[in-house]
Amino acid sequence: MTSLTGLAGPDHPSARQQQRNAYRRRRTLRRVAAGTISSIVVLTLAAWFITQAPGWPRVREVYFSADHARESFPAILDAFWLNVRLFLTVEALVLPLALLVAVIRVIPSAAMAPFKFLAAAYTDIFRGIPTILIVMLVGFGFPALGMAGVPTSLFWLGVIALTLSYGAYVAEVLRAGILSIHPTQWAAGRALGLSYGQTLVRVILPQAIRNVTPPLMNDFVSLQKDTALVSVIGLVEALRAAQVYQATTFNVTSMCVAAVFFIVVTIPLARFTDWLTIRSMRRQGGR
């Protein structure tokens, strides 16, 4: 009987495969080393040029003062939690709203014509208006209506404004994902005896959402930054807290501290988005 222990496989790669793996590891290490060294050199040169500028001492004192950074940090940290709560609340509301709008726009039913018109008008209007204007219109306009049931909390007014704005963008991303699914997927679902709604929910939407996850994450990265826009209606979030400190000290370091808070949140989201994009490309390439 022939022994199987000498056969190559996933757990026992052949000598040639081991050589390939070793070469790939060396190539990866060389690329990482070259990238790291070049990045260090470029950043060092940039730092040297900046610090040699005649106005650098004044810029360092106004924008990067360690004392002002320490003093402004606690207030900005407390205010930044409002940005985080806004982001999480709006994200939870945007997804169902956008999905509803996207589904309405793709349903091929004559009876849905009025709703399709309203959905198209919503996406066109709210994608065309700058987000800061939507925040101001909702934040100042809704309370002025004086209607019963209309929220007067600045937090919820900010949530409504950002949800309306980003709901339009995300709806178009989801609609593009639905339309990108090949018609044969619809036909396959119907051939299996599924209704139109069942085919949409069980076959089309899972594929569509998976395909558009990277651009959706990009929208949420932008949403995290745009939570600062609610400061125009009086909410004391990180940007407003930094502005208050800057107005009392005439030092801009607090604004840089606020910027660091946003960077700390958005960079991991951006890297996660890159990872999702690469994974999606590899999956499609393996089909």
Side-chain angles (χ1 to χ4, degrees), residues 21-42:
N21 293 339
Y23 169 75
R24 288 169 182 166
R25 286 194 294 269
R26 290 195 301 270
R27 183 180 60 183
T28 300
L29 289 175
R30 286 197 300 267
R31 289 179 176 177
V32 170
T36 302
I37 293 173
S38 62
S39 298
I40 293 174
V41 170
V42 170

Side-chain angles (χ1 to χ4, degrees), residues 214 268-283:
L269 285 174
R271 297 289 75 78
F272 181 63
T273 301
D274 293 342
W275 177 78
L276 287 176
T277 302
I278 294 173
R279 191 183 69 167
S280 177
M281 293 172 60
R282 287 175 177 172
R283 182 186 292 121

Side-chain angles (χ1 to χ4, degrees), residues 72-85 236-238 241 261:
S72 62
F73 183 88
I76 296 175
L77 175 61
D78 291 340
F80 186 70
W81 290 117
L82 177 62
N83 295 87
V84 175
R85 295 202 309 272
V236 183
E237 44 73 58
F261 275 103

Side-chain angles (χ1 to χ4, degrees), residues 34 53 80 170 211 262:
F80 186 70
V170 175
N211 290 343
F262 285 101

Side-chain angles (χ1 to χ4, degrees), residues 129-203:
I129 302 176
T131 303
I132 190 171
L133 287 183
I134 297 176
V135 172
M136 295 176 68
L137 291 171
V138 172
F140 298 129
F142 276 29
L145 293 174
M147 296 175 60
V150 174
T152 57
S153 166
L154 292 179
F155 176 84
W156 286 107
L157 290 173
V159 167
I160 292 172
L162 292 174
T163 300
L164 290 173
S165 178
Y166 273 85
Y169 289 102
V170 175
E172 284 300 280
V173 172
L174 290 174
R175 187 170 75 96
I178 295 173
L179 295 178
S180 70
I181 304 302
H182 199 275
T184 55
Q185 297 294 309
W186 290 94
R190 301 307 295 272
L192 291 173
L194 300 177
S195 65
Y196 180 88
Q198 291 173 328
T199 303
L200 176 65
V201 173
R202 298 183 181 182
V203 179

Side-chain angles (χ1 to χ4, degrees), residues 201-220:
V201 173
R202 298 183 181 182
V203 179
I204 303 302
L205 284 181
Q207 298 180 69
I209 293 174
R210 183 171 62 246
N211 290 343
V212 299
T213 295
L216 281 179
M217 292 300 300
N218 279 324
D219 282 337
F220 289 136

